[in-house]
Amino acid sequence: DVKVTQSSRYLVKRTGEKVFLECVQDMDHENMFWYRQDPGLGLRLIYFSYDVKMKEKGDIPEGYSVSREKKERFSLILESASTNQTSMYLCASSPGQGRAKNIQYFGAGTRLSVL
Amino acid sequence: DQQVKQNSPSLSVQEGRISILNCDYTNSMFDYFLWYKKYPAEGPTFLISISSIKDKNEDGRFTVFLNKSAKHLSLHIVPSQPGDSAVYFCAASPTSGTYKYIFGTGTRLKVLA
């Protein structure tokens, strides 16, 4: 089974703090994604990466950056957390090749509260 | 502007009956669609997909129908079971060769025993 692990289930941070959300996948997937989920808005793509050190902006990248130094790990960084970044953050990965190349596998999510 | 819409935020169905979850999209370039199921405190899990060359795809109790002219897809669950109670998201992609999806807002299904 594919396993996507997010380092924290719950986080509480203060406005202005730098926040790191970590995600690790164990299936050698090419692609990794960060989404946020908000009530009434569904899942919105923040950033994705299709290879080590490669990244592309999603639909809502403002206020976020990402890092992918190793294939299995994809980090989401909030440079200076703000209250409007309080949300559920979901990491996903997809194989990038083969029959199921675009099926995304999700972690359990990190609920971030910025006070 | 929501390109993928799930207009019913919630749905309740009796156990054993059919559940029908609907999804509408606006972008005619979308040609690959997926359904995900999400339980509380878990990430979404892939359920079933369909490409635009088909109008139906079936996997056990789950069937997805695609009506390209109406830009509409639906997920049928027959028979519904209490374990199907979850939030269901549809997602669309402009081509099966890309890895970027647009997700709907989700429909919460409750199957009553």
Side-chain angles (χ1 to χ4, degrees):
Chain A
D1 273 357
V2 176
K3 194 164 176 76
V4 179
T5 304
Q6 294 184 231
S7 55
S8 304
R9 295 301 303 273
Y10 301 95
L11 271 181
V12 180
K13 296 292 181 181
R14 296 250 175 233
T15 303
E17 277 193 78
K18 189 168 186 176
V19 182
F20 293 86
L21 302 183
E22 306 286 346
C23 176
V24 176
Q25 50 96 0
D26 67 355
M27 283 300 292
D28 201 36
H29 283 177
E30 303 289 332
N31 307 318
M32 296 188 75
F33 309 81
W34 275 106
Y35 294 88
R36 62 178 282 177
Q37 182 191 358
D38 299 289
L41 295 176
L43 278 69
R44 294 181 293 165
L45 182 64
I46 304 171
Y47 266 97
F48 67 99
S49 168
Y50 49 90
D51 201 351
V52 175
K53 296 191 189 294
M54 306 303 287
K55 62 186 179 187
E56 280 197 29
K57 294 179 180 179
D59 299 315
I60 51 165
E62 296 79 17
Y64 303 95
S65 62
V66 290
S67 171
R68 194 168 179 201
E69 296 296 318
K70 293 185 177 182
K71 192 174 186 179
E72 67 271 18
R73 188 179 296 271
F74 192 36
S75 303
L76 179 70
I77 303 152
L78 288 66
E79 295 289 342
S80 177
S82 63
T83 54
N84 63 11
Q85 292 177 309
T86 291
S87 187
M88 170 69 84
Y89 289 87
L90 291 161
C91 175
S93 69
S94 67
Q97 52 190 325
R99 195 170 173 202
K101 62 181 178 180
N102 289 324
I103 303 299
Q104 295 185 17
Y105 298 85
F106 284 84
T110 296
R111 185 165 293 283
L112 173 68
S113 296
V114 182
L115 306 178
Chain B
D1 181 32
Q2 200 73 21
Q3 295 188 67
V4 178
K5 298 178 185 177
Q6 294 177 257
N7 291 317
S8 298
S10 63
L11 175 69
S12 291
V13 171
Q14 283 295 133
E15 181 179 7
R17 307 294 290 266
I18 183 171
S19 296
I20 300 177
L21 296 98
N22 294 305
C23 181
D24 296 294
Y25 60 96
T26 56
N27 189 339
S28 58
M29 298 299 292
F30 289 152
D31 69 353
Y32 191 68
F33 306 89
L34 305 93
W35 284 93
Y36 281 83
K37 178 169 73 173
K38 185 181 185 300
Y39 292 119
E42 294 183 16
T45 55
F46 169 71
L47 196 55
I48 193 168
S49 64
I50 188 167
S51 81
S52 60
I53 61 172
K54 294 185 173 183
D55 54 18
K56 176 182 173 181
N57 189 25
E58 195 170 350
D59 183 2
R61 297 186 297 113
F62 301 90
T63 303
V64 56
F65 295 92
L66 176 63
N67 182 333
K68 290 188 291 282
S69 60
K71 295 192 184 69
H72 177 83
L73 66 156
S74 60
L75 175 69
H76 292 211
I77 307 173
V78 184
S80 301
Q81 299 173 354
D84 297 328
S85 298
V87 177
Y88 290 80
F89 292 96
C90 66
S93 171
T95 171
S96 60
T98 188
Y99 24 72
K100 190 175 175 185
Y101 292 99
I102 306 296
F103 281 83
T105 53
T107 296
R108 183 178 301 278
L109 173 67
K110 188 169 183 179
V111 180
L112 307 169

